[in-house]
Amino acid sequence: MAYTKILSIKKQGHLNVALDYVMNAEKTNPEICELEAEKELLGTITEYVTNEDKTEKWDVRFVSAINCFPETAAQKMMATKKKYDKTDKRIAYHIIQSFAPGEITPELAHEIGVKYVEAWLGDYEVVIGTHLDRGHIHNHILCNSVSCMDGRKFHMNKSEFYTKLYGISNDLCNLYGLSVIENIDGRHMTYEEWVKRYGKSGRTLREIIHADVLECIEVTKTVGNFFVMMENKGYEVDLAGKYAKVRPLEKERFFRLSTLGFPDDVLEDMITGRQTVQRKTKTVYYGCGLCRRKGHKFTCIEAMYVRWLFVLGKIKSGKPHTQVPAEEIRKFDRYKEQLKFIADHRLSGLRSVMELKEVTVEKMKCLDEERFRLRGALRKNRDLFAAHKGYMRYLPIADKLEGEHTKRFEEAKEVLLKKGFAEQTEKVGLKRAELLDAAAQNKSELAMLRGRLVMLDGIIESSGHIREQIKKELEEKEKWKEKRQDLLYRERR
């Protein structure tokens, strides 16, 4: 069994902390905290790793080095740093590899340490020392932070941290028949790894919900029937907000279907069997500064917009590329969407825009009334629908129910019998699906009309704003020309 960890040595203060942790105060130099030079500090650690009092036993000295000699490792490491001009930040890395007491011999521990280093640190200057002064044999590995081959800095991302620091060490232990630590601390696991080890099904909660959504999509033909199937599986469905959400049984939080990969339009297309719509990606702008469009040629309406920016003095010609402020790019994208909307709806003037706005407002009022009617119908049949949901959930496993679950199933049957639907449960399911389908359709149409209303208000505001802004800028430009002509006339006189 090998327990491995890594310590980074960045500054003198950090190095002192690392040395206090690694070294035994009774066996180290008490003046080490007073050292200031990086070379002396690096040399002190190298001296500790190759300490003969710790590595000599049975007349054997277990010290090895790669790409350097142990006696001159510090000088060689500093020379590599100076060669590639990387003497700042992290100086070196100290890796400790410990083995279980009585499980390994010093020779085998040192051999594993050397092979461990060769597997992923072969491009760096490394010193390996096997220490025998404790009850457990352990390797100290000192690695330069700069590669002696190409000058790359040592870097380890999260995935490499497990596959190299732990994975290679465990592979070598398995190769030599040593035990391996199976249970890593939960703080060092990903959620997916924890579920695979300790979860009952080996899947995360999101994966379970995703699988249930796909299963319901395959057996349904309408959106309302889909939500009924999800409720029958034990999920609580919430369609009141902007996004459709579901909550698993006995869980505290809801999950948006859109974050699970099923936005409203994609969900509807998958249920009806149509091809999935290509979703529009959101345009990302730079911050407050200038936005460069390298290699982009302005054409059509975009070129006209940039020309007016030149005329109004908003931008100036730049080399090698014209710089357009991010604010103006946002305006142009907004104007382009408005122009496309006008062309799609064949709006000929501001009057037609106002008429379309009035029609949109009237439709929204009708949809709001329908929404309240649907909510009232769902509220009126709440007990019946809840009983039907519980009955359908437990019906496939009715013969296996025990305790509280049996009680819930019998209560659901009593409610259905009292309402007169004991033998007509299919009608209740159809009614639930019909109301939920109508609610989803109402929500989709309202969202579309709200977007249209925002677009129409933007067109009305922009039409007056653009006209006034151009008129104002042109008037100021004419005044500037008149002043300039007047100054030239006075100079001539």
Side-chain angles (χ1 to χ4, degrees), residues 408-423:
R408 293 178 184 176
F409 182 63
E410 293 299 330
E411 289 176 352
K413 287 177 65 176
E414 289 180 5
V415 173
L416 290 173
L417 181 62
K418 185 178 179 180
K419 297 286 185 179
F421 291 96
E423 303 296 333

Side-chain angles (χ1 to χ4, degrees), residues 94-299:
H94 191 165
I95 302 172
I96 304 171
Q97 186 183 38
S98 302
F99 300 93
E103 188 181 40
I104 194 171
T105 63
E107 293 82 3
L108 182 57
H110 191 70
E111 182 181 351
I112 290 176
V114 173
K115 290 189 175 182
Y116 177 67
V117 169
E118 292 176 346
W120 66 296
L121 297 173
D123 292 343
Y124 297 85
E125 290 114 348
V126 186
V127 178
I128 309 105
T130 303
H131 290 191
L132 315 173
D133 60 325
R134 297 290 182 90
H136 62 282
I137 299 174
H138 54 283
N139 292 324
H140 284 268
I141 301 168
L142 183 66
C143 172
N144 190 6
S145 62
V146 180
S147 170
C148 61
M149 300 297 180
D150 52 12
R152 288 185 298 108
K153 285 281 265 187
F154 180 92
H155 177 72
M156 181 188 296
N157 55 36
K158 188 174 182 180
S159 62
E160 291 177 334
F161 185 82
Y162 294 102
T163 58
K164 293 184 177 179
L165 191 66
Y166 293 150
I168 296 176
S169 180
N170 291 340
D171 291 342
L172 289 170
C173 288
N174 288 326
L175 181 64
Y176 287 93
L178 304 177
S179 61
V180 177
I181 299 177
E182 294 291 346
N183 297 321
I184 302 174
D185 186 357
R187 293 174 298 175
H188 297 154
M189 287 186 192
T190 61
Y191 177 62
E192 290 76 10
E193 184 180 359
W194 186 90
V195 170
K196 289 178 181 179
R197 290 193 178 192
Y198 304 110
K200 294 181 180 180
S201 62
R203 294 185 298 173
T204 64
L205 183 58
R206 295 180 69 87
E207 290 175 343
I208 294 172
I209 299 173
H210 191 276
D212 289 341
V213 170
L214 290 177
E215 184 179 343
C216 291
I217 288 174
E218 291 179 358
V219 297
T220 56
K221 295 183 179 180
T222 64
V223 176
N225 195 16
F226 164 77
F227 287 121
V228 169
M229 293 292 295
M230 290 294 293
E231 287 182 340
N232 292 345
K233 281 183 172 292
Y235 290 92
E236 181 181 348
V237 177
D238 182 9
L239 302 176
K242 182 178 179 182
Y243 302 98
K245 301 183 288 290
V246 295
R247 184 175 68 178
L249 185 65
E250 299 178 353
K251 298 297 180 181
E252 296 182 358
R253 54 169 295 206
F254 282 87
F255 290 81
R256 290 182 182 177
L257 293 179
S258 58
T259 60
L260 294 170
F262 304 100
D264 293 342
D265 53 351
V266 174
L267 180 65
E268 185 176 357
D269 290 339
M270 294 180 70
I271 292 173
T272 56
R274 296 197 301 265
Q275 187 177 0
T276 304
V277 179
Q278 185 69 27
R279 296 187 61 78
K280 181 180 178 182
T281 58
K282 185 177 179 181
T283 305
V284 180
Y285 301 98
Y286 292 101
C288 305
L290 301 176
C291 179
R292 293 177 179 266
R293 292 194 173 185
K294 295 183 178 180
H296 178 75
K297 184 178 181 181
F298 298 115
T299 58

Side-chain angles (χ1 to χ4, degrees), residues 239-244 263-265 268 279 341 360 363-368 370-371 375 438-456:
L239 302 176
K242 182 178 179 182
Y243 302 98
D264 293 342
D265 53 351
E268 185 176 357
R279 296 187 61 78
F341 179 86
T360 302
K363 287 183 178 180
M364 290 180 65
K365 289 181 180 179
C366 296
L367 289 173
D368 279 332
E370 183 184 0
R371 181 179 60 173
R375 287 184 177 179
Q441 185 68 23
N442 177 273
K443 177 184 173 183
S444 177
E445 292 180 2
L446 267 175
M448 183 269 293
L449 291 177
R450 289 194 187 101
R452 179 188 293 181
L453 187 62
V454 171
M455 181 65 71
L456 291 170

